Every structure is written in structure tokens, then in C-alpha cells.
Amino acid sequence: SLNNKTGSQGVIITGTGGVGKSRIAAHIFELTRKEGGLVFATKFNQNQDVSPLAQIGVIFNDLIDLFATVASPSTLLSLSNDLENALGIHAALLYEVLPSLPRIMPSCSQVRYHVDQVNMANSMRFLFCKLFEILLSYQTGRITLLFDDVQWADAASLSLLSSLLQSNEGAKRVYFTSCYRDNEVSDSLLAWLQSISGFSLEQIKLESLTPNGVNQFVSETLHLFPRLTRPLSLVLHKKTGGNPLFLGQILSALGVSGRASPLTSSPSTKGGEICFSL
């Protein structure tokens, strides 16, 4: 189970690019699916050339689309009434970010509602959290959300994430998974991390492989004793810095090019060292 033992409502995974954060997230997704739960993911853009909240909107749109597809007509009617009572004409603000919202609340696209910029951020946080709360009341299974590359998230999205975590802290119906590169941390991300430090979130920090770790990886890949692969491993560690993604790419490239085939054949050995036909 994702949080039965620890009581946490999520995890923050940190490390440099290619160190394995996505693999940990994929494992969390697998656990969620085994428990009969749902998984949704979004990835923030380095260029931030999209509107604020757009990437969080991706997750909400996907959740709405799934619900609208699988729910019965009577359930959709009940949900629509609940949303009408809770959001009213203010839902028109959400519609600007969530084009799928009319599928569960048709009236949101039929009105226009404007609010000044000073109150816009607070209004959007409230509306998203209320929508979140109502959708969860209709969902019995576990939901895992992945927010990848949070180091590139806009300030509005980080603030909304904090509010969603706050609303989830009691029931812990949703498991939040956030990933960020710890070598690209901005002041806004540091401030956000500090603001959520009181929530029940686990921390996983992934490091690059040591020379011995690289040698073990290469040894297992080539099916050779570690003493035979050490010279090659030292070279690979120097070239990749111990980054597992880069290491795997180099080994795969060697196999594809025919210089060495880590998966289908073994290199020859001579004098206790690996020899390749380069």
C-alpha cells in the first residue's frame, strides 16, 4: 500500500536529470493500479510558454474526461447539481482553464464571470479545491497524481499545489507525487518546499552511481565478473558522472552499433581486462 504504513499523503522525489526519478514514479503508478486506483500525470514546461495553471489543468481535464466517460447518467446529473450548488457562476473562471468542465457541468460554459487580478489567484485556488473535493466524493478508489519537473512550475501552480495538499491532508484520498531536479532549484521552488514542509510527505533523494555502483551495473549487464568490467566501468563513470540514464544510453548505443552487445553477447577478455572490437 502506498501510505497505509507511513500515513503520508505523497512523496517528493529529487535528483539530477536522468538519475531515475521517473522510474520511481512509474513504480508508484504500478502500485496504484494494483490497488485498483487511478493515475494522472502532468509535466511542467521549462520555457513556461503556457498560461498559469495550464499543466495542473491537464490533470483535472483528464480526471473530468474519465469521469464523464464512465459515470452513469444519474451520477452525472447528481454531480452537476453538486457543482452548481458549490461553484455557481464562478465556475466560468474554471472553464477558461478546464475546457472539459462542461462535460460534467454544462452551465459553466453558458455564463461569463470576471474578477479583478488581485482576487483571481485566491478565487482559482478556492474553485480548484472545491472541484477537487466534489470529484473525490464520487471516487471510491485511490488516485495518484504525478507532477513532474516541478522546478519549472509557475508561481500560481505551486500555490495551487499547496492548497490541494492542504485539502487532502485529512482524508489522504489522493497520493501526490512530485519530482524536481535539485540542481535547478529556484527561489520560488525553495519557498514552496518550505511552505509544504509541515505536510505528511515523504522525501526521496536519488544520487548518481558511485564507481563501484557503475561497475556493478556494467557487470550485471554484460554478465561478467566485476573484476573484469572494472576498467570499462571507470571509463563509463568518468564519461557519465554515474548518471544511470546516460550510462544505459551508452551501453545501448554500443549494442546497437555492434561494437559491444550487452544484452546478446559478451566481449572477450584478455589478461584480465575487457577487450572490444572497436
Side-chain angles (χ1 to χ4, degrees):
S1 177
L2 291 174
N3 60 12
N4 287 347
K5 294 182 179 180
T6 64
S8 72
Q9 66 162 322
V11 61
I12 297 177
I13 309 170
T14 69
T16 57
V19 78
K21 300 185 295 297
S22 295
R23 289 193 177 188
I24 298 293
H27 179 64
I28 293 173
F29 273 21
E30 182 181 353
L31 291 176
T32 302
R33 291 190 178 103
K34 285 183 177 179
E35 293 180 1
L38 302 173
V39 296
F40 301 92
T42 191
K43 187 180 182 73
F44 290 100
N45 192 318
Q46 181 177 11
N47 299 322
Q48 294 191 3
D49 55 357
V50 294
S51 60
L53 304 180
Q55 295 311 122
I56 294 184
V58 168
I59 280 182
F60 274 81
N61 277 313
D62 288 346
L63 180 58
I64 290 169
D65 285 337
L66 178 63
F67 197 96
T69 300
V70 302
S72 66
S74 60
T75 299
L76 286 175
L77 179 60
S78 175
L79 173 60
S80 179
N81 290 334
D82 287 345
L83 292 174
E84 288 277 3
N85 293 331
L87 306 181
I89 62 173
H90 302 84
L93 295 176
L94 283 177
Y95 175 53
E96 296 179 8
V97 184
L98 304 177
S100 294
L101 187 58
R103 298 190 67 186
I104 59 174
M105 187 184 179
S107 65
C108 73
S109 62
Q110 300 167 6
V111 297
R112 291 292 179 267
Y113 182 80
H114 299 283
V115 64
D116 60 84
Q117 291 300 316
V118 175
N119 296 315
M120 175 65 81
N122 290 334
S123 296
M124 292 299 284
R125 284 198 300 273
F126 171 80
L127 292 170
F128 263 103
C129 288
K130 183 57 68 173
L131 173 62
F132 191 55
E133 175 187 326
I134 294 173
L135 287 174
L136 289 182
S137 70
Y138 284 84
Q139 172 63 30
T140 57
R142 170 74 57 197
I143 294 179
T144 290
L145 305 181
L146 168 63
F147 300 91
D148 200 6
D149 283 336
V150 178
Q151 76 277 357
W152 294 325
D154 57 275
S157 293
L158 290 175
S159 180
L160 176 54
L161 270 177
S162 297
S163 297
L164 293 174
L165 284 166
Q166 178 67 52
S167 66
N168 187 61
E169 181 69 9
K172 297 182 175 63
R173 293 283 309 284
V174 176
Y175 194 81
F176 286 84
T177 303
S178 300
C179 302
Y180 72 89
R181 298 183 183 183
D182 55 10
N183 61 333
E184 300 183 38
V185 176
S186 63
D187 290 340
S188 60
L189 180 61
L190 285 175
W192 177 71
L193 292 171
Q194 180 62 35
S195 72
I196 64 171
S197 59
F199 296 134
S200 52
L201 296 167
E202 296 181 273
Q203 304 277 340
I204 298 178
K205 180 175 175 57
L206 300 178
E207 304 281 358
S208 295
L209 297 175
T210 63
N212 285 337
V214 171
N215 192 40
Q216 180 179 352
F217 183 92
V218 175
S219 171
E220 292 176 356
T221 301
L222 297 178
H223 308 295
L224 291 172
F225 291 114
R227 63 180 177 83
L228 298 177
T229 58
R230 187 167 300 279
L232 173 63
S233 298
L234 291 175
V235 174
L236 291 176
H237 183 270
K238 184 177 180 179
K239 287 184 175 294
T240 65
N243 186 296
L245 176 63
F246 300 157
L247 180 61
Q249 288 175 340
I250 287 181
L251 289 176
S252 296
L254 288 173
V256 170
S257 67
R259 296 179 179 178
S261 184
L263 298 178
T264 59
S265 65
S266 299
S268 61
T269 59
K270 182 178 181 181
E273 296 186 354
I274 300 176
C275 297
F276 293 107
S277 298
L278 300 176

